Amino acid sequence: MKKKLKDAKGLWLEILPEVLWAYRTTLKTSIGEMPYSLVYGTEAVIPVGEPSLRYYHESDTSNDESRRKELDEVDERRDMAYIRMVTQKQQAECYYNKKSKVRPLKVGNYVLKAKTQASKDPRESKLGTNWDGPCKITDEVIKGSFQLETIEGNLLPNNWNISHLKFFNF
């Protein structure tokens, strides 16, 4: 879809409805359904000039009956799509959490904070220190973000992410 829009250059406005139709009628792996079928309760049929053999053999009564059956089942299909979507999100979360390191830092712990490139002294060589501190954790602002103060008791102006902190023992 992206490629088709890119190739269209200035004609993207004319091609956009086709691209949106393709997106809405394509099976999504996260929910196992097409967004079109979840909204309207039936699969999309692309109109073609010649009616198909399937269309000719469909009678009015059987068509109405099958449509009612599809509409009765649409809520169940939506629920199953929601369950598949939640399951996929839980699997992604489990995969992420398996690879992440847990560093239990608490209020009152002493840490070293990483020096950024801007805060490094230009007179130091590449063998200069990479860590500032020690600093004391005074507050956990949100999960993984901490407010720090220096040993003298001055609060640092910004919150610090746990990825830029290292536990420090005296």
Side-chain angles (χ1 to χ4, degrees):
M1 288 185 283
K2 197 182 233 183
K3 184 177 186 234
K4 190 168 186 172
L5 282 175
K6 187 177 180 183
D7 292 342
K9 300 281 182 195
L11 302 174
W12 68 270
L13 192 58
E14 288 81 24
I15 295 177
L16 186 63
E18 297 172 22
V19 172
L20 289 176
W21 176 262
Y23 178 76
R24 292 175 184 145
T25 57
T26 304
L27 190 70
K28 303 293 179 231
T29 56
S30 62
I31 56 177
E33 296 280 341
M34 290 182 271
Y36 183 92
S37 66
L38 290 177
V39 172
Y40 297 108
T42 185
E43 290 185 16
V45 178
I46 299 173
V48 182
E50 287 280 326
S52 67
L53 196 58
R54 180 177 150 192
Y55 178 78
Y56 278 129
H57 285 73
E58 208 53 53
S59 66
D60 291 336
T61 57
S62 66
N63 188 27
D64 293 342
E65 196 172 307
S66 65
R67 179 69 178 138
R68 273 192 227 95
K69 185 179 177 187
E70 284 178 352
L71 288 175
D72 289 341
E73 295 173 354
V74 75
D75 288 332
E76 183 179 330
R77 288 175 51 205
R78 287 177 184 155
D79 292 341
M80 291 304 295
Y82 178 74
I83 289 169
R84 282 192 293 270
M85 183 180 68
V86 168
T87 303
Q88 185 186 23
K89 286 182 180 179
Q90 288 173 344
Q91 287 173 346
E93 181 183 6
C94 182
Y95 178 78
Y96 172 78
N97 289 339
K98 191 177 1 176
K99 294 193 175 283
S100 66
K101 294 180 183 178
V102 177
R103 290 193 263 168
L105 294 178
K106 300 174 190 156
V107 174
N109 286 352
Y110 285 93
V111 293
L112 297 174
K113 66 180 185 74
K115 278 188 179 178
T116 60
Q117 194 66 29
S119 66
K120 284 188 178 182
D121 188 5
R123 292 172 287 166
E124 289 183 351
S125 66
K126 66 180 181 180
L127 300 176
T129 61
N130 293 327
W131 298 92
D132 280 336
C135 299
K136 183 179 180 181
I137 297 176
T138 58
D139 187 26
E140 183 172 5
V141 181
I142 56 173
K143 186 178 180 182
S145 180
F146 298 98
Q147 179 69 45
L148 302 177
E149 73 176 18
T150 61
I151 297 292
E152 294 83 29
N154 301 327
L155 280 176
L156 295 177
N158 298 326
N159 298 329
W160 290 84
N161 191 309
I162 196 167
S163 61
H164 301 288
L165 302 175
K166 181 164 62 169
F167 188 75
F168 178 75
N169 284 329
F170 277 111

